[in-house]
Structures are given as structure tokens and as C-alpha cells.
CSV table of all heavy atoms in Angstrom, one decimal:
chain,number,residue,atom,x,y,z
A,159,LEU,N,-4.3,5.1,-23.9
A,159,LEU,CA,-4.3,5.7,-22.6
A,159,LEU,C,-5.5,5.4,-21.8
A,159,LEU,O,-5.4,5.1,-20.6
A,159,LEU,CB,-4.2,7.2,-22.8
A,159,LEU,CG,-3.7,8.1,-21.6
A,159,LEU,CD1,-2.4,7.6,-21.1
A,159,LEU,CD2,-3.7,9.6,-22.0
A,160,THR,N,-6.7,5.5,-22.4
A,160,THR,CA,-7.9,5.2,-21.7
A,160,THR,C,-8.0,3.8,-21.1
A,160,THR,O,-8.5,3.6,-20.0
A,160,THR,CB,-9.2,5.5,-22.6
A,160,THR,OG1,-9.0,4.7,-23.8
A,160,THR,CG2,-9.3,6.9,-22.9
A,161,GLU,N,-7.5,2.8,-21.8
A,161,GLU,CA,-7.5,1.5,-21.3
A,161,GLU,C,-6.6,1.3,-20.2
A,161,GLU,O,-6.9,0.5,-19.2
A,161,GLU,CB,-7.2,0.5,-22.5
A,161,GLU,CG,-8.3,0.5,-23.5
A,161,GLU,CD,-7.9,-0.3,-24.8
A,161,GLU,OE1,-7.0,-1.0,-24.7
A,161,GLU,OE2,-8.6,-0.1,-25.8
A,162,SER,N,-5.4,1.9,-20.2
A,162,SER,CA,-4.5,1.9,-19.1
A,162,SER,C,-5.1,2.5,-17.8
A,162,SER,O,-5.0,2.0,-16.7
A,162,SER,CB,-3.2,2.6,-19.4
A,162,SER,OG,-2.5,1.8,-20.3
A,163,PHE,N,-5.8,3.6,-18.0
A,163,PHE,CA,-6.5,4.3,-16.9
A,163,PHE,C,-7.6,3.4,-16.4
A,163,PHE,O,-7.8,3.3,-15.2
A,163,PHE,CB,-7.1,5.6,-17.3
A,163,PHE,CG,-6.0,6.7,-17.5
A,163,PHE,CD1,-6.2,7.6,-18.5
A,163,PHE,CD2,-4.9,6.7,-16.7
A,163,PHE,CE1,-5.2,8.6,-18.7
A,163,PHE,CE2,-3.9,7.7,-16.9
A,163,PHE,CZ,-4.1,8.7,-17.9
A,164,GLY,N,-8.4,2.8,-17.3
A,164,GLY,CA,-9.4,1.9,-16.8
A,164,GLY,C,-8.9,0.7,-16.1
A,164,GLY,O,-9.4,0.3,-15.0
A,165,ALA,N,-7.8,0.1,-16.6
A,165,ALA,CA,-7.2,-1.0,-15.9
A,165,ALA,C,-6.7,-0.6,-14.5
A,165,ALA,O,-6.8,-1.3,-13.5
A,165,ALA,CB,-6.0,-1.5,-16.7
A,166,SER,N,-6.2,0.6,-14.4
A,166,SER,CA,-5.7,1.2,-13.1
A,166,SER,C,-6.8,1.2,-12.1
A,166,SER,O,-6.7,0.8,-11.0
A,166,SER,CB,-5.1,2.6,-13.3
A,166,SER,OG,-4.7,3.2,-12.1
A,167,GLN,N,-8.0,1.7,-12.5
A,167,GLN,CA,-9.1,1.8,-11.6
A,167,GLN,C,-9.6,0.4,-11.2
A,167,GLN,O,-10.1,0.2,-10.1
A,167,GLN,CB,-10.2,2.6,-12.3
A,167,GLN,CG,-9.8,4.1,-12.5
A,167,GLN,CD,-11.0,4.9,-13.1
A,167,GLN,OE1,-12.1,4.6,-12.9
A,167,GLN,NE2,-10.6,6.1,-13.7
A,168,ILE,N,-9.6,-0.5,-12.1
A,168,ILE,CA,-10.0,-1.9,-11.8
A,168,ILE,C,-9.1,-2.5,-10.7
A,168,ILE,O,-9.6,-3.1,-9.8
A,168,ILE,CB,-10.0,-2.7,-13.1
A,168,ILE,CG1,-11.1,-2.3,-14.0
A,168,ILE,CG2,-10.2,-4.2,-12.7
A,168,ILE,CD1,-11.1,-3.0,-15.4
A,169,VAL,N,-7.8,-2.3,-10.9
A,169,VAL,CA,-6.9,-2.8,-9.9
A,169,VAL,C,-7.1,-2.2,-8.5
A,169,VAL,O,-7.1,-2.9,-7.5
A,169,VAL,CB,-5.4,-2.6,-10.4
A,169,VAL,CG1,-4.4,-2.9,-9.2
A,169,VAL,CG2,-5.1,-3.4,-11.6
A,170,GLU,N,-7.3,-0.9,-8.5
A,170,GLU,CA,-7.5,-0.2,-7.2
A,170,GLU,C,-8.8,-0.7,-6.5
A,170,GLU,O,-8.8,-0.7,-5.2
A,170,GLU,CB,-7.7,1.3,-7.5
A,170,GLU,CG,-6.4,2.0,-7.9
A,170,GLU,CD,-6.6,3.5,-8.1
A,170,GLU,OE1,-7.8,3.9,-8.3
A,170,GLU,OE2,-5.6,4.2,-8.2
A,171,LYS,N,-9.8,-1.2,-7.2
A,171,LYS,CA,-11.0,-1.7,-6.6
A,171,LYS,C,-11.0,-3.2,-6.4
A,171,LYS,O,-12.0,-3.8,-5.9
A,171,LYS,CB,-12.2,-1.3,-7.4
A,171,LYS,CG,-12.4,0.2,-7.6
A,171,LYS,CD,-13.5,0.6,-8.5
A,171,LYS,CE,-13.7,2.1,-8.7
A,171,LYS,NZ,-14.7,2.4,-9.7
A,172,ALA,N,-9.9,-3.8,-6.7
A,172,ALA,CA,-9.9,-5.3,-6.7
A,172,ALA,C,-10.2,-5.9,-5.4
A,172,ALA,O,-10.8,-7.0,-5.3
A,172,ALA,CB,-8.5,-5.8,-7.2
A,173,PHE,N,-9.8,-5.3,-4.3
A,173,PHE,CA,-10.0,-5.8,-2.9
A,173,PHE,C,-11.1,-5.1,-2.2
A,173,PHE,O,-11.2,-5.3,-0.9
A,173,PHE,CB,-8.7,-5.8,-2.2
A,173,PHE,CG,-7.6,-6.6,-2.8
A,173,PHE,CD1,-6.5,-6.0,-3.5
A,173,PHE,CD2,-7.6,-8.0,-2.7
A,173,PHE,CE1,-5.5,-6.8,-4.0
A,173,PHE,CE2,-6.6,-8.8,-3.2
A,173,PHE,CZ,-5.6,-8.2,-3.9
A,174,ASP,N,-11.9,-4.3,-2.8
A,174,ASP,CA,-13.0,-3.6,-2.1
A,174,ASP,C,-13.9,-4.6,-1.4
A,174,ASP,O,-14.5,-4.3,-0.4
A,174,ASP,CB,-13.8,-2.7,-3.1
A,174,ASP,CG,-13.0,-1.4,-3.4
A,174,ASP,OD1,-11.9,-1.2,-2.8
A,174,ASP,OD2,-13.5,-0.6,-4.2
A,175,TYR,N,-14.1,-5.8,-2.0
A,175,TYR,CA,-15.0,-6.8,-1.4
A,175,TYR,C,-14.6,-7.1,0.0
A,175,TYR,O,-15.5,-7.4,0.9
A,175,TYR,CB,-14.8,-8.0,-2.3
A,175,TYR,CG,-15.6,-9.3,-1.8
A,175,TYR,CD1,-16.9,-9.5,-2.2
A,175,TYR,CD2,-14.9,-10.2,-1.0
A,175,TYR,CE1,-17.6,-10.6,-1.7
A,175,TYR,CE2,-15.6,-11.3,-0.5
A,175,TYR,CZ,-16.9,-11.5,-0.9
A,175,TYR,OH,-17.6,-12.7,-0.4
A,176,TRP,N,-13.3,-7.0,0.4
A,176,TRP,CA,-12.9,-7.4,1.7
A,176,TRP,C,-12.8,-6.3,2.7
A,176,TRP,O,-12.7,-6.5,3.9
A,176,TRP,CB,-11.5,-8.1,1.6
A,176,TRP,CG,-11.5,-9.3,0.8
A,176,TRP,CD1,-10.9,-9.4,-0.5
A,176,TRP,CD2,-12.0,-10.6,1.1
A,176,TRP,NE1,-11.1,-10.7,-1.0
A,176,TRP,CE2,-11.8,-11.4,-0.1
A,176,TRP,CE3,-12.7,-11.1,2.2
A,176,TRP,CZ2,-12.1,-12.7,-0.1
A,176,TRP,CZ3,-13.0,-12.5,2.1
A,176,TRP,CH2,-12.8,-13.3,1.0
A,177,LYS,N,-12.9,-5.1,2.3
A,177,LYS,CA,-12.8,-3.9,3.2
A,177,LYS,C,-14.0,-3.9,4.2
A,177,LYS,O,-15.1,-4.0,3.8
A,177,LYS,CB,-12.8,-2.6,2.4
A,177,LYS,CG,-11.5,-2.4,1.6
A,177,LYS,CD,-11.4,-1.1,0.9
A,177,LYS,CE,-10.1,-1.0,0.1
A,177,LYS,NZ,-10.1,0.3,-0.6
A,178,GLY,N,-13.6,-3.8,5.4
A,178,GLY,CA,-14.6,-3.7,6.5
A,178,GLY,C,-15.1,-5.0,6.9
A,178,GLY,O,-16.0,-5.1,7.8
A,179,ARG,N,-14.7,-6.1,6.3
A,179,ARG,CA,-15.2,-7.4,6.8
A,179,ARG,C,-14.4,-8.0,7.9
A,179,ARG,O,-13.2,-7.5,8.2
A,179,ARG,CB,-15.1,-8.4,5.6
A,179,ARG,CG,-16.1,-8.1,4.4
A,179,ARG,CD,-15.8,-9.0,3.2
A,179,ARG,NE,-16.0,-10.4,3.6
A,179,ARG,CZ,-17.1,-11.1,3.2
A,179,ARG,NH1,-18.1,-10.5,2.5
A,179,ARG,NH2,-17.3,-12.3,3.5
A,180,ASP,N,-14.9,-8.9,8.6
A,180,ASP,CA,-14.2,-9.4,9.8
A,180,ASP,C,-12.9,-10.1,9.4
A,180,ASP,O,-12.0,-10.2,10.2
A,180,ASP,CB,-15.1,-10.5,10.5
A,180,ASP,CG,-16.4,-9.9,11.1
A,180,ASP,OD1,-16.3,-8.7,11.4
A,180,ASP,OD2,-17.3,-10.6,11.3
A,181,GLU,N,-12.8,-10.6,8.2
A,181,GLU,CA,-11.6,-11.3,7.8
A,181,GLU,C,-10.4,-10.3,7.5
A,181,GLU,O,-9.2,-10.8,7.4
A,181,GLU,CB,-11.8,-12.1,6.5
A,181,GLU,CG,-12.8,-13.2,6.7
A,181,GLU,CD,-14.3,-12.7,6.4
A,181,GLU,OE1,-14.4,-11.5,6.2
A,181,GLU,OE2,-15.2,-13.6,6.4
A,182,GLU,N,-10.6,-9.0,7.3
A,182,GLU,CA,-9.6,-8.1,6.8
A,182,GLU,C,-8.6,-7.9,7.9
A,182,GLU,O,-8.9,-7.5,9.0
A,182,GLU,CB,-10.2,-6.8,6.4
A,182,GLU,CG,-9.1,-5.8,6.0
A,182,GLU,CD,-9.7,-4.4,5.8
A,182,GLU,OE1,-10.9,-4.2,5.9
A,182,GLU,OE2,-8.9,-3.5,5.5
A,183,VAL,N,-7.3,-8.1,7.6
A,183,VAL,CA,-6.2,-7.6,8.4
A,183,VAL,C,-5.6,-6.3,7.9
A,183,VAL,O,-5.5,-5.3,8.6
A,183,VAL,CB,-5.1,-8.7,8.5
A,183,VAL,CG1,-3.8,-8.2,9.3
A,183,VAL,CG2,-5.6,-10.0,9.1
A,184,PHE,N,-5.2,-6.3,6.6
A,184,PHE,CA,-4.9,-5.1,5.9
A,184,PHE,C,-5.1,-5.3,4.4
A,184,PHE,O,-5.0,-6.4,3.9
A,184,PHE,CB,-3.5,-4.6,6.3
A,184,PHE,CG,-2.4,-5.4,5.6
A,184,PHE,CD1,-2.0,-5.1,4.3
A,184,PHE,CD2,-1.7,-6.4,6.3
A,184,PHE,CE1,-1.0,-5.8,3.6
A,184,PHE,CE2,-0.7,-7.1,5.6
A,184,PHE,CZ,-0.3,-6.8,4.3
A,185,ILE,N,-5.3,-4.1,3.8
A,185,ILE,CA,-5.4,-4.1,2.3
A,185,ILE,C,-4.6,-2.9,1.9
A,185,ILE,O,-4.8,-1.8,2.3
A,185,ILE,CB,-6.9,-4.0,1.8
A,185,ILE,CG1,-7.6,-5.2,2.2
A,185,ILE,CG2,-6.9,-3.7,0.3
A,185,ILE,CD1,-9.1,-5.1,1.9
A,186,GLY,N,-3.7,-3.1,0.9
A,186,GLY,CA,-2.9,-2.0,0.4
A,186,GLY,C,-1.8,-2.4,-0.5
A,186,GLY,O,-1.3,-3.6,-0.4
A,187,GLY,N,-1.5,-1.6,-1.5
A,187,GLY,CA,-0.4,-1.9,-2.4
A,187,GLY,C,-0.7,-3.1,-3.3
A,187,GLY,O,0.2,-3.8,-3.7
A,188,GLY,N,-2.0,-3.3,-3.7
A,188,GLY,CA,-2.3,-4.4,-4.5
A,188,GLY,C,-2.2,-5.8,-3.8
A,188,GLY,O,-2.1,-6.8,-4.4
A,189,ASN,N,-2.3,-5.7,-2.5
A,189,ASN,CA,-2.2,-6.9,-1.7
A,189,ASN,C,-3.3,-6.9,-0.6
A,189,ASN,O,-3.7,-5.8,-0.2
A,189,ASN,CB,-0.8,-7.1,-1.0
A,189,ASN,CG,0.3,-7.1,-2.0
A,189,ASN,OD1,0.6,-8.2,-2.6
A,189,ASN,ND2,1.0,-6.0,-2.2
A,190,ALA,N,-3.6,-8.1,-0.1
A,190,ALA,CA,-4.5,-8.2,1.0
A,190,ALA,C,-4.1,-9.3,2.0
A,190,ALA,O,-3.6,-10.4,1.5
A,190,ALA,CB,-5.9,-8.5,0.5
A,191,ALA,N,-4.2,-9.1,3.3
A,191,ALA,CA,-4.0,-10.1,4.3
A,191,ALA,C,-5.3,-10.4,5.0
A,191,ALA,O,-6.0,-9.4,5.5
A,191,ALA,CB,-3.0,-9.7,5.3
A,192,LEU,N,-5.8,-11.6,5.0
A,192,LEU,CA,-7.1,-12.0,5.5
A,192,LEU,C,-6.9,-13.1,6.5
A,192,LEU,O,-6.1,-13.9,6.4
A,192,LEU,CB,-8.0,-12.5,4.4
A,192,LEU,CG,-8.1,-11.6,3.1
A,192,LEU,CD1,-8.8,-12.2,2.0
A,192,LEU,CD2,-8.8,-10.2,3.5
A,193,LEU,N,-7.8,-13.1,7.5
A,193,LEU,CA,-7.7,-14.0,8.6
A,193,LEU,C,-9.1,-14.8,8.7
A,193,LEU,O,-10.1,-14.1,8.9
A,193,LEU,CB,-7.4,-13.3,9.9
A,193,LEU,CG,-7.0,-14.1,11.1
A,193,LEU,CD1,-5.7,-14.8,10.8
A,193,LEU,CD2,-6.8,-13.2,12.4
A,194,PHE,N,-9.0,-16.1,8.6
A,194,PHE,CA,-10.2,-16.9,8.7
A,194,PHE,C,-10.1,-17.9,9.9
A,194,PHE,O,-9.0,-18.4,10.3
A,194,PHE,CB,-10.3,-17.8,7.4
A,194,PHE,CG,-10.5,-16.9,6.1
A,194,PHE,CD1,-9.3,-16.6,5.4
A,194,PHE,CD2,-11.7,-16.5,5.7
A,194,PHE,CE1,-9.5,-15.8,4.3
A,194,PHE,CE2,-11.9,-15.8,4.5
A,194,PHE,CZ,-10.8,-15.4,3.8
A,195,ASP,N,-11.3,-18.2,10.4
A,195,ASP,CA,-11.4,-19.3,11.4
A,195,ASP,C,-11.2,-20.6,10.8
A,195,ASP,O,-11.7,-20.9,9.7
A,195,ASP,CB,-12.7,-19.2,12.1
A,195,ASP,CG,-12.8,-17.9,13.0
A,195,ASP,OD1,-11.8,-17.5,13.6
A,195,ASP,OD2,-14.0,-17.4,13.1
A,196,GLY,N,-10.6,-21.6,11.6
A,196,GLY,CA,-10.5,-22.9,11.2
A,196,GLY,C,-9.4,-23.2,10.2
A,196,GLY,O,-8.7,-22.3,9.7
A,197,PRO,N,-9.3,-24.5,9.8
A,197,PRO,CA,-8.3,-24.8,8.8
A,197,PRO,C,-8.6,-24.2,7.4
A,197,PRO,O,-9.8,-23.8,7.2
A,197,PRO,CB,-8.3,-26.4,8.8
A,197,PRO,CG,-9.7,-26.7,9.3
A,197,PRO,CD,-10.0,-25.7,10.3
A,198,LYS,N,-7.7,-24.2,6.5
A,198,LYS,CA,-7.9,-23.5,5.3
A,198,LYS,C,-9.1,-24.0,4.5
A,198,LYS,O,-9.8,-23.3,3.7
A,198,LYS,CB,-6.6,-23.5,4.4
A,198,LYS,CG,-6.1,-24.9,4.0
A,198,LYS,CD,-4.8,-24.8,3.3
A,198,LYS,CE,-4.3,-26.2,2.8
A,198,LYS,NZ,-3.0,-26.0,2.1
A,199,GLU,N,-9.3,-25.4,4.5
A,199,GLU,CA,-10.4,-26.0,3.8
A,199,GLU,C,-11.8,-25.5,4.3
A,199,GLU,O,-12.8,-25.6,3.5
A,199,GLU,CB,-10.3,-27.5,3.8
A,199,GLU,CG,-9.1,-28.1,3.2
A,199,GLU,CD,-7.8,-28.0,4.1
A,199,GLU,OE1,-8.0,-27.7,5.2
A,199,GLU,OE2,-6.7,-28.4,3.6
A,200,GLN,N,-11.9,-25.1,5.5
A,200,GLN,CA,-13.2,-24.8,6.1
A,200,GLN,C,-13.7,-23.5,5.6
A,200,GLN,O,-14.9,-23.5,5.2
A,200,GLN,CB,-13.0,-24.8,7.6
A,200,GLN,CG,-14.3,-24.5,8.4
A,200,GLN,CD,-14.2,-24.5,9.9
A,200,GLN,OE1,-13.4,-25.3,10.4
A,200,GLN,NE2,-14.9,-23.7,10.6
A,201,ASN,N,-12.9,-22.4,5.7
A,201,ASN,CA,-13.5,-21.1,5.3
A,201,ASN,C,-12.6,-20.3,4.3
A,201,ASN,O,-13.1,-19.7,3.4
A,201,ASN,CB,-13.6,-20.2,6.6
A,201,ASN,CG,-14.7,-20.7,7.5
A,201,ASN,OD1,-15.8,-20.9,7.0
A,201,ASN,ND2,-14.4,-20.9,8.7
A,202,ALA,N,-11.3,-20.4,4.4
A,202,ALA,CA,-10.4,-19.6,3.6
A,202,ALA,C,-10.5,-20.0,2.1
A,202,ALA,O,-10.8,-19.1,1.3
A,202,ALA,CB,-8.9,-19.8,4.1
A,203,ILE,N,-10.3,-21.2,1.8
A,203,ILE,CA,-10.4,-21.6,0.4
A,203,ILE,C,-11.7,-21.3,-0.3
A,203,ILE,O,-11.8,-20.8,-1.4
A,203,ILE,CB,-9.9,-23.1,0.2
A,203,ILE,CG1,-8.4,-23.2,0.5
A,203,ILE,CG2,-10.2,-23.6,-1.2
A,203,ILE,CD1,-7.9,-24.6,0.4
């Protein structure tokens, strides 16, 4: 049980890195949409 709870908390924090950044469009439901300037090789990747 403890490991499942720990895994749950890890997943919930997986996208915290992107919250509040200029690239964030939305974060929710284990997904994130991010917007970068330029072609994908320049900043996104």
C-alpha cells in the first residue's frame, strides 16, 4: 500500500517543473501541453 501511495504522489508532481513557466498551456490529468518558440529542434526537444 505504501509504495502505491508513494507512486501516486510521484505522478502528481511529475509536471511541477512546467507549472508557471512561459511554455505552459495546461497541465492536468497526467498530461501537459507546452508551447515553444521556433521549430522543434530549437527549443522543444
Side-chain angles (χ1 to χ4, degrees):
L159 196 57
T160 49
E161 291 169 19
S162 288
F163 288 144
S166 175
Q167 293 183 22
I168 290 172
V169 171
E170 287 179 345
K171 298 175 181 178
F173 295 106
D174 284 357
Y175 173 90
W176 300 105
K177 289 182 178 179
R179 294 173 62 103
D180 293 338
E181 297 89 352
E182 179 190 354
V183 176
F184 75 81
I185 294 173
N189 301 280
L192 308 170
L193 195 61
F194 296 92
D195 290 327
K198 61 183 180 181
E199 295 82 6
Q200 180 177 326
N201 291 310
I203 291 178

